[in-house]
Amino acid sequence: MDRHSVSGGQRLLVDSGADRTVFNAALTSKLNLATQPAEDRIQGVAGECEYVTMQSALVFKRDDGVSVRVRGEFLGLLDPRATDLCVLGRDVLDNFDVIHSRRRGEVLLLAPPHQYQVMTG
């Protein structure tokens, strides 16, 4: 199966309620990966959508500049009208402790050896 890295500043909507990571139709087409047809449809805020599955890797930059790859089977939408968003779902998020700071405008994905502690004061 083909492996390809999604990088270059692609924005992903962090959705802790989404079971799977989904690429919009534009990115699915741009990646030009070998795909497997799906036998069903997925249901999301845009309604039911046709999709394909593909092997790929998401590349994240750590705070020290090192690249981290998360490999998996991701979904690619086929209909460009379905959504213009790419969604980062629990299939990837479950690898991390996810901290969303709305006040600071940050989403942090922490994996060992990194950790967090909640303190008062």
Side-chain angles (χ1 to χ4, degrees):
M1 293 190 178
D2 292 341
R3 295 224 182 253
H4 187 83
S5 295
V6 178
S7 60
Q10 179 67 46
R11 291 183 167 265
L12 300 165
L13 173 71
V14 174
D15 186 347
S16 61
D19 295 327
R20 302 283 302 271
T21 295
V22 179
F23 302 146
N24 63 24
L27 182 58
T28 299
S29 175
K30 180 180 174 184
L31 291 175
N32 197 28
L33 295 173
T35 61
Q36 298 293 321
E39 295 180 14
D40 57 357
R41 293 173 173 239
I42 57 173
Q43 180 73 37
V45 294
E48 283 191 356
C49 302
E50 291 185 47
Y51 68 96
V52 292
T53 62
M54 63 189 85
Q55 296 293 320
S56 188
L58 298 175
V59 180
F60 299 98
K61 290 279 188 184
R62 293 188 338 193
D63 56 356
D64 61 3
V66 173
S67 293
V68 176
R69 286 177 170 71
V70 177
R71 299 183 189 283
E73 181 181 80
F74 304 114
L75 308 184
L77 297 180
L78 299 175
D79 185 350
R81 297 169 296 166
T83 183
D84 60 344
L85 300 172
C86 294
V87 175
L88 188 62
R90 287 193 317 267
D91 56 337
V92 172
L93 295 174
D94 285 351
N95 293 293
F96 302 97
D97 289 322
V98 180
I99 299 173
H100 173 222
S101 173
R102 186 175 182 108
R103 186 175 49 86
R104 293 173 57 175
E106 295 179 329
V107 175
L108 305 173
L109 304 178
L110 302 178
H114 292 90
Q115 55 185 313
Y116 67 94
Q117 181 178 8
V118 179
M119 301 174 5
T120 59

